[in-house]
PDB file of all heavy atoms in Angstrom:
ATOM      1  N   LEU U 110       4.289  13.619  -8.821  1.00 96.00           N
ATOM      2  CA  LEU U 110       3.540  13.818 -10.067  1.00 96.00           C
ATOM      3  C   LEU U 110       4.173  14.851 -11.002  1.00 96.00           C
ATOM      4  O   LEU U 110       3.618  15.166 -12.050  1.00 96.00           O
ATOM      5  CB  LEU U 110       2.104  14.231  -9.741  1.00 96.00           C
ATOM      6  CG  LEU U 110       1.269  13.166  -9.007  1.00 96.00           C
ATOM      7  CD1 LEU U 110      -0.074  13.732  -8.572  1.00 96.00           C
ATOM      8  CD2 LEU U 110       1.071  11.935  -9.867  1.00 96.00           C
ATOM      9  N   ASN U 111       5.331  15.381 -10.639  1.00 95.00           N
ATOM     10  CA  ASN U 111       6.010  16.366 -11.482  1.00 95.00           C
ATOM     11  C   ASN U 111       6.391  15.741 -12.834  1.00 95.00           C
ATOM     12  O   ASN U 111       6.960  14.645 -12.879  1.00 95.00           O
ATOM     13  CB  ASN U 111       7.262  16.875 -10.761  1.00 95.00           C
ATOM     14  CG  ASN U 111       7.968  17.970 -11.542  1.00 95.00           C
ATOM     15  OD1 ASN U 111       8.678  17.697 -12.505  1.00 95.00           O
ATOM     16  ND2 ASN U 111       7.776  19.193 -11.114  1.00 95.00           N
ATOM     17  N   LYS U 112       6.091  16.419 -13.918  1.00 93.00           N
ATOM     18  CA  LYS U 112       6.320  15.866 -15.261  1.00 93.00           C
ATOM     19  C   LYS U 112       7.803  15.753 -15.602  1.00 93.00           C
ATOM     20  O   LYS U 112       8.198  14.909 -16.411  1.00 93.00           O
ATOM     21  CB  LYS U 112       5.614  16.732 -16.307  1.00 93.00           C
ATOM     22  CG  LYS U 112       4.097  16.672 -16.239  1.00 93.00           C
ATOM     23  CD  LYS U 112       3.473  17.528 -17.334  1.00 93.00           C
ATOM     24  CE  LYS U 112       1.948  17.470 -17.279  1.00 93.00           C
ATOM     25  NZ  LYS U 112       1.318  18.318 -18.321  1.00 93.00           N
ATOM     26  N   ASP U 113       8.629  16.607 -15.005  1.00 92.00           N
ATOM     27  CA  ASP U 113      10.045  16.638 -15.368  1.00 92.00           C
ATOM     28  C   ASP U 113      10.886  15.608 -14.629  1.00 92.00           C
ATOM     29  O   ASP U 113      11.765  14.973 -15.211  1.00 92.00           O
ATOM     30  CB  ASP U 113      10.618  18.041 -15.117  1.00 92.00           C
ATOM     31  CG  ASP U 113       9.943  19.095 -15.991  1.00 92.00           C
ATOM     32  OD1 ASP U 113       9.638  18.782 -17.156  1.00 92.00           O
ATOM     33  OD2 ASP U 113       9.724  20.224 -15.504  1.00 92.00           O
ATOM     34  N   TYR U 114      10.647  15.434 -13.337  1.00 93.00           N
ATOM     35  CA  TYR U 114      11.507  14.544 -12.562  1.00 93.00           C
ATOM     36  C   TYR U 114      10.736  13.549 -11.691  1.00 93.00           C
ATOM     37  O   TYR U 114      11.340  12.777 -10.954  1.00 93.00           O
ATOM     38  CB  TYR U 114      12.442  15.361 -11.661  1.00 93.00           C
ATOM     39  CG  TYR U 114      11.730  16.214 -10.648  1.00 93.00           C
ATOM     40  CD1 TYR U 114      11.260  15.682  -9.446  1.00 93.00           C
ATOM     41  CD2 TYR U 114      11.516  17.560 -10.889  1.00 93.00           C
ATOM     42  CE1 TYR U 114      10.595  16.468  -8.516  1.00 93.00           C
ATOM     43  CE2 TYR U 114      10.855  18.358  -9.958  1.00 93.00           C
ATOM     44  CZ  TYR U 114      10.399  17.809  -8.781  1.00 93.00           C
ATOM     45  OH  TYR U 114       9.741  18.594  -7.874  1.00 93.00           O
ATOM     46  N   GLY U 115       9.416  13.558 -11.794  1.00 94.00           N
ATOM     47  CA  GLY U 115       8.594  12.736 -10.909  1.00 94.00           C
ATOM     48  C   GLY U 115       8.472  11.286 -11.307  1.00 94.00           C
ATOM     49  O   GLY U 115       9.227  10.773 -12.146  1.00 94.00           O
ATOM     50  N   LEU U 116       7.495  10.631 -10.710  1.00 96.00           N
ATOM     51  CA  LEU U 116       7.316   9.187 -10.878  1.00 96.00           C
ATOM     52  C   LEU U 116       5.964   8.850 -11.483  1.00 96.00           C
ATOM     53  O   LEU U 116       5.472   7.733 -11.337  1.00 96.00           O
ATOM     54  CB  LEU U 116       7.455   8.500  -9.507  1.00 96.00           C
ATOM     55  CG  LEU U 116       8.744   8.771  -8.733  1.00 96.00           C
ATOM     56  CD1 LEU U 116       8.646   8.201  -7.320  1.00 96.00           C
ATOM     57  CD2 LEU U 116       9.945   8.195  -9.460  1.00 96.00           C
ATOM     58  N   ARG U 117       5.362   9.810 -12.180  1.00 94.00           N
ATOM     59  CA  ARG U 117       4.013   9.595 -12.691  1.00 94.00           C
ATOM     60  C   ARG U 117       4.014   8.569 -13.817  1.00 94.00           C
ATOM     61  O   ARG U 117       4.983   8.405 -14.566  1.00 94.00           O
ATOM     62  CB  ARG U 117       3.384  10.911 -13.130  1.00 94.00           C
ATOM     63  CG  ARG U 117       4.037  11.597 -14.304  1.00 94.00           C
ATOM     64  CD  ARG U 117       3.467  13.003 -14.503  1.00 94.00           C
ATOM     65  NE  ARG U 117       2.040  12.965 -14.698  1.00 94.00           N
ATOM     66  CZ  ARG U 117       1.221  13.985 -14.403  1.00 94.00           C
ATOM     67  NH1 ARG U 117       1.695  15.095 -13.882  1.00 94.00           N
ATOM     68  NH2 ARG U 117      -0.060  13.891 -14.627  1.00 94.00           N
ATOM     69  N   THR U 118       2.899   7.871 -13.924  1.00 94.00           N
ATOM     70  CA  THR U 118       2.660   6.919 -15.007  1.00 94.00           C
ATOM     71  C   THR U 118       1.286   7.249 -15.587  1.00 94.00           C
ATOM     72  O   THR U 118       0.659   8.233 -15.210  1.00 94.00           O
ATOM     73  CB  THR U 118       2.655   5.473 -14.470  1.00 94.00           C
ATOM     74  OG1 THR U 118       1.519   5.300 -13.608  1.00 94.00           O
ATOM     75  CG2 THR U 118       3.922   5.163 -13.691  1.00 94.00           C
ATOM     76  N   ASP U 119       0.794   6.394 -16.477  1.00 92.00           N
ATOM     77  CA  ASP U 119      -0.553   6.621 -17.009  1.00 92.00           C
ATOM     78  C   ASP U 119      -1.615   6.027 -16.091  1.00 92.00           C
ATOM     79  O   ASP U 119      -2.805   6.016 -16.412  1.00 92.00           O
ATOM     80  CB  ASP U 119      -0.698   6.048 -18.422  1.00 92.00           C
ATOM     81  CG  ASP U 119      -0.429   4.552 -18.479  1.00 92.00           C
ATOM     82  OD1 ASP U 119      -0.108   3.958 -17.424  1.00 92.00           O
ATOM     83  OD2 ASP U 119      -0.545   3.972 -19.577  1.00 92.00           O
ATOM     84  N   SER U 120      -1.185   5.523 -14.935  1.00 93.00           N
ATOM     85  CA  SER U 120      -2.118   4.965 -13.963  1.00 93.00           C
ATOM     86  C   SER U 120      -2.613   6.055 -13.022  1.00 93.00           C
ATOM     87  O   SER U 120      -2.413   7.249 -13.254  1.00 93.00           O
ATOM     88  CB  SER U 120      -1.455   3.830 -13.172  1.00 93.00           C
ATOM     89  OG  SER U 120      -2.411   3.172 -12.362  1.00 93.00           O
ATOM     90  N   LEU U 121      -3.232   5.637 -11.958  1.00 97.00           N
ATOM     91  CA  LEU U 121      -3.811   6.520 -10.946  1.00 97.00           C
ATOM     92  C   LEU U 121      -3.181   6.178  -9.611  1.00 97.00           C
ATOM     93  O   LEU U 121      -3.018   4.999  -9.281  1.00 97.00           O
ATOM     94  CB  LEU U 121      -5.328   6.276 -10.886  1.00 97.00           C
ATOM     95  CG  LEU U 121      -6.149   6.986  -9.814  1.00 97.00           C
ATOM     96  CD1 LEU U 121      -6.392   8.439 -10.223  1.00 97.00           C
ATOM     97  CD2 LEU U 121      -7.497   6.274  -9.628  1.00 97.00           C
ATOM     98  N   LEU U 122      -2.809   7.162  -8.823  1.00 97.00           N
ATOM     99  CA  LEU U 122      -2.304   6.868  -7.492  1.00 97.00           C
ATOM    100  C   LEU U 122      -3.450   6.340  -6.638  1.00 97.00           C
ATOM    101  O   LEU U 122      -4.528   6.919  -6.600  1.00 97.00           O
ATOM    102  CB  LEU U 122      -1.714   8.124  -6.843  1.00 97.00           C
ATOM    103  CG  LEU U 122      -0.467   8.737  -7.488  1.00 97.00           C
ATOM    104  CD1 LEU U 122       0.022   9.907  -6.647  1.00 97.00           C
ATOM    105  CD2 LEU U 122       0.634   7.708  -7.672  1.00 97.00           C
ATOM    106  N   SER U 123      -3.212   5.234  -5.953  1.00 97.00           N
ATOM    107  CA  SER U 123      -4.254   4.672  -5.085  1.00 97.00           C
ATOM    108  C   SER U 123      -3.619   4.029  -3.864  1.00 97.00           C
ATOM    109  O   SER U 123      -2.471   3.591  -3.894  1.00 97.00           O
ATOM    110  CB  SER U 123      -5.117   3.657  -5.845  1.00 97.00           C
ATOM    111  OG  SER U 123      -4.348   2.579  -6.327  1.00 97.00           O
ATOM    112  N   HIS U 124      -4.392   3.982  -2.800  1.00 97.00           N
ATOM    113  CA  HIS U 124      -3.906   3.485  -1.521  1.00 97.00           C
ATOM    114  C   HIS U 124      -4.240   1.999  -1.368  1.00 97.00           C
ATOM    115  O   HIS U 124      -5.357   1.582  -1.649  1.00 97.00           O
ATOM    116  CB  HIS U 124      -4.574   4.281  -0.397  1.00 97.00           C
ATOM    117  CG  HIS U 124      -3.954   4.093   0.943  1.00 97.00           C
ATOM    118  ND1 HIS U 124      -4.604   3.513   2.002  1.00 97.00           N
ATOM    119  CD2 HIS U 124      -2.721   4.415   1.399  1.00 97.00           C
ATOM    120  CE1 HIS U 124      -3.799   3.497   3.053  1.00 97.00           C
ATOM    121  NE2 HIS U 124      -2.664   4.036   2.725  1.00 97.00           N
ATOM    122  N   VAL U 125      -3.260   1.227  -0.940  1.00 98.00           N
ATOM    123  CA  VAL U 125      -3.457  -0.202  -0.704  1.00 98.00           C
ATOM    124  C   VAL U 125      -3.028  -0.518   0.728  1.00 98.00           C
ATOM    125  O   VAL U 125      -1.883  -0.259   1.107  1.00 98.00           O
ATOM    126  CB  VAL U 125      -2.636  -1.072  -1.682  1.00 98.00           C
ATOM    127  CG1 VAL U 125      -2.832  -2.549  -1.374  1.00 98.00           C
ATOM    128  CG2 VAL U 125      -3.033  -0.778  -3.126  1.00 98.00           C
ATOM    129  N   MET U 126      -3.951  -1.037   1.510  1.00 97.00           N
ATOM    130  CA  MET U 126      -3.636  -1.503   2.859  1.00 97.00           C
ATOM    131  C   MET U 126      -3.631  -3.023   2.868  1.00 97.00           C
ATOM    132  O   MET U 126      -4.398  -3.654   2.132  1.00 97.00           O
ATOM    133  CB  MET U 126      -4.670  -1.004   3.864  1.00 97.00           C
ATOM    134  CG  MET U 126      -4.556   0.475   4.203  1.00 97.00           C
ATOM    135  SD  MET U 126      -3.045   0.922   5.093  1.00 97.00           S
ATOM    136  CE  MET U 126      -3.261   0.052   6.654  1.00 97.00           C
ATOM    137  N   ILE U 127      -2.780  -3.597   3.697  1.00 97.00           N
ATOM    138  CA  ILE U 127      -2.743  -5.037   3.856  1.00 97.00           C
ATOM    139  C   ILE U 127      -2.923  -5.350   5.339  1.00 97.00           C
ATOM    140  O   ILE U 127      -2.311  -4.706   6.193  1.00 97.00           O
ATOM    141  CB  ILE U 127      -1.418  -5.612   3.294  1.00 97.00           C
ATOM    142  CG1 ILE U 127      -1.371  -7.130   3.423  1.00 97.00           C
ATOM    143  CG2 ILE U 127      -0.205  -4.970   3.937  1.00 97.00           C
ATOM    144  CD1 ILE U 127      -0.200  -7.760   2.684  1.00 97.00           C
ATOM    145  N   TYR U 128      -3.809  -6.308   5.629  1.00 97.00           N
ATOM    146  CA  TYR U 128      -4.161  -6.611   7.019  1.00 97.00           C
ATOM    147  C   TYR U 128      -3.894  -8.078   7.342  1.00 97.00           C
ATOM    148  O   TYR U 128      -4.148  -8.965   6.518  1.00 97.00           O
ATOM    149  CB  TYR U 128      -5.643  -6.315   7.272  1.00 97.00           C
ATOM    150  CG  TYR U 128      -5.979  -4.848   7.194  1.00 97.00           C
ATOM    151  CD1 TYR U 128      -6.387  -4.276   5.989  1.00 97.00           C
ATOM    152  CD2 TYR U 128      -5.872  -4.026   8.314  1.00 97.00           C
ATOM    153  CE1 TYR U 128      -6.680  -2.922   5.905  1.00 97.00           C
ATOM    154  CE2 TYR U 128      -6.168  -2.674   8.235  1.00 97.00           C
ATOM    155  CZ  TYR U 128      -6.575  -2.124   7.038  1.00 97.00           C
ATOM    156  OH  TYR U 128      -6.853  -0.787   6.957  1.00 97.00           O
ATOM    157  N   GLU U 129      -3.414  -8.284   8.552  1.00 97.00           N
ATOM    158  CA  GLU U 129      -3.274  -9.625   9.102  1.00 97.00           C
ATOM    159  C   GLU U 129      -4.283  -9.741  10.247  1.00 97.00           C
ATOM    160  O   GLU U 129      -4.137  -9.097  11.280  1.00 97.00           O
ATOM    161  CB  GLU U 129      -1.854  -9.843   9.619  1.00 97.00           C
ATOM    162  CG  GLU U 129      -1.597 -11.238  10.171  1.00 97.00           C
ATOM    163  CD  GLU U 129      -0.185 -11.409  10.700  1.00 97.00           C
ATOM    164  OE1 GLU U 129       0.762 -10.837  10.113  1.00 97.00           O
ATOM    165  OE2 GLU U 129      -0.030 -12.120  11.721  1.00 97.00           O
ATOM    166  N   LEU U 130      -5.337 -10.544  10.013  1.00 97.00           N
ATOM    167  CA  LEU U 130      -6.426 -10.688  10.977  1.00 97.00           C
ATOM    168  C   LEU U 130      -6.470 -12.099  11.536  1.00 97.00           C
ATOM    169  O   LEU U 130      -6.332 -13.070  10.784  1.00 97.00           O
ATOM    170  CB  LEU U 130      -7.768 -10.384  10.293  1.00 97.00           C
ATOM    171  CG  LEU U 130      -7.956  -8.965   9.740  1.00 97.00           C
ATOM    172  CD1 LEU U 130      -8.404  -9.022   8.287  1.00 97.00           C
ATOM    173  CD2 LEU U 130      -8.966  -8.206  10.558  1.00 97.00           C
ATOM    174  N   GLU U 131      -6.677 -12.228  12.830  1.00 95.00           N
ATOM    175  CA  GLU U 131      -6.794 -13.555  13.435  1.00 95.00           C
ATOM    176  C   GLU U 131      -7.997 -14.313  12.887  1.00 95.00           C
ATOM    177  O   GLU U 131      -7.997 -15.548  12.837  1.00 95.00           O
ATOM    178  CB  GLU U 131      -6.909 -13.434  14.960  1.00 95.00           C
ATOM    179  CG  GLU U 131      -5.610 -13.025  15.641  1.00 95.00           C
ATOM    180  CD  GLU U 131      -5.723 -13.056  17.156  1.00 95.00           C
ATOM    181  OE1 GLU U 131      -6.744 -13.565  17.666  1.00 95.00           O
ATOM    182  OE2 GLU U 131      -4.796 -12.564  17.828  1.00 95.00           O
ATOM    183  N   SER U 132      -9.025 -13.577  12.467  1.00 93.00           N
ATOM    184  CA  SER U 132     -10.268 -14.207  12.006  1.00 93.00           C
ATOM    185  C   SER U 132     -10.268 -14.537  10.515  1.00 93.00           C
ATOM    186  O   SER U 132     -11.267 -15.047   9.999  1.00 93.00           O
ATOM    187  CB  SER U 132     -11.453 -13.286  12.320  1.00 93.00           C
ATOM    188  OG  SER U 132     -11.251 -12.011  11.736  1.00 93.00           O
ATOM    189  N   TYR U 133      -9.145 -14.268   9.831  1.00 96.00           N
ATOM    190  CA  TYR U 133      -9.085 -14.578   8.395  1.00 96.00           C
ATOM    191  C   TYR U 133      -7.854 -15.438   8.138  1.00 96.00           C
ATOM    192  O   TYR U 133      -6.825 -15.275   8.790  1.00 96.00           O
ATOM    193  CB  TYR U 133      -9.036 -13.290   7.571  1.00 96.00           C
ATOM    194  CG  TYR U 133      -9.481 -13.465   6.132  1.00 96.00           C
ATOM    195  CD1 TYR U 133     -10.795 -13.827   5.825  1.00 96.00           C
ATOM    196  CD2 TYR U 133      -8.596 -13.274   5.074  1.00 96.00           C
ATOM    197  CE1 TYR U 133     -11.209 -13.983   4.509  1.00 96.00           C
ATOM    198  CE2 TYR U 133      -9.002 -13.427   3.755  1.00 96.00           C
ATOM    199  CZ  TYR U 133     -10.301 -13.788   3.478  1.00 96.00           C
ATOM    200  OH  TYR U 133     -10.716 -13.956   2.173  1.00 96.00           O
ATOM    201  N   HIS U 134      -7.958 -16.331   7.173  1.00 95.00           N
ATOM    202  CA  HIS U 134      -6.941 -17.363   6.995  1.00 95.00           C
ATOM    203  C   HIS U 134      -5.709 -16.926   6.207  1.00 95.00           C
ATOM    204  O   HIS U 134      -4.777 -17.717   6.041  1.00 95.00           O
ATOM    205  CB  HIS U 134      -7.557 -18.597   6.323  1.00 95.00           C
ATOM    206  CG  HIS U 134      -8.144 -18.306   4.971  1.00 95.00           C
ATOM    207  ND1 HIS U 134      -9.314 -17.610   4.805  1.00 95.00           N
ATOM    208  CD2 HIS U 134      -7.717 -18.619   3.723  1.00 95.00           C
ATOM    209  CE1 HIS U 134      -9.590 -17.504   3.511  1.00 95.00           C
ATOM    210  NE2 HIS U 134      -8.632 -18.110   2.835  1.00 95.00           N
ATOM    211  N   LYS U 135      -5.702 -15.720   5.723  1.00 96.00           N
ATOM    212  CA  LYS U 135      -4.536 -15.227   4.987  1.00 96.00           C
ATOM    213  C   LYS U 135      -4.531 -13.708   5.008  1.00 96.00           C
ATOM    214  O   LYS U 135      -5.459 -13.070   5.525  1.00 96.00           O
ATOM    215  CB  LYS U 135      -4.558 -15.746   3.541  1.00 96.00           C
ATOM    216  CG  LYS U 135      -5.795 -15.358   2.738  1.00 96.00           C
ATOM    217  CD  LYS U 135      -5.732 -15.956   1.330  1.00 96.00           C
ATOM    218  CE  LYS U 135      -6.986 -15.698   0.537  1.00 96.00           C
ATOM    219  NZ  LYS U 135      -6.906 -16.263  -0.834  1.00 96.00           N
ATOM    220  N   LEU U 136      -3.486 -13.110   4.453  1.00 97.00           N
ATOM    221  CA  LEU U 136      -3.420 -11.660   4.384  1.00 97.00           C
ATOM    222  C   LEU U 136      -4.524 -11.129   3.477  1.00 97.00           C
ATOM    223  O   LEU U 136      -4.863 -11.741   2.458  1.00 97.00           O
ATOM    224  CB  LEU U 136      -2.051 -11.215   3.855  1.00 97.00           C
ATOM    225  CG  LEU U 136      -0.858 -11.508   4.763  1.00 97.00           C
ATOM    226  CD1 LEU U 136       0.448 -11.184   4.057  1.00 97.00           C
ATOM    227  CD2 LEU U 136      -0.960 -10.732   6.066  1.00 97.00           C
TER     228      LEU U 136
END
Side-chain angles (χ1 to χ4, degrees):
L110 295 173
N111 184 282
K112 292 182 180 179
D113 297 322
Y114 61 81
L116 305 171
R117 65 189 302 154
T118 67
D119 59 359
S120 188
L121 174 78
L122 295 184
S123 60
H124 193 245
V125 178
M126 286 294 295
I127 181 171
Y128 293 91
E129 182 181 324
L130 298 128
E131 288 186 10
S132 56
Y133 201 64
H134 60 287
K135 59 182 175 179
L136 293 173

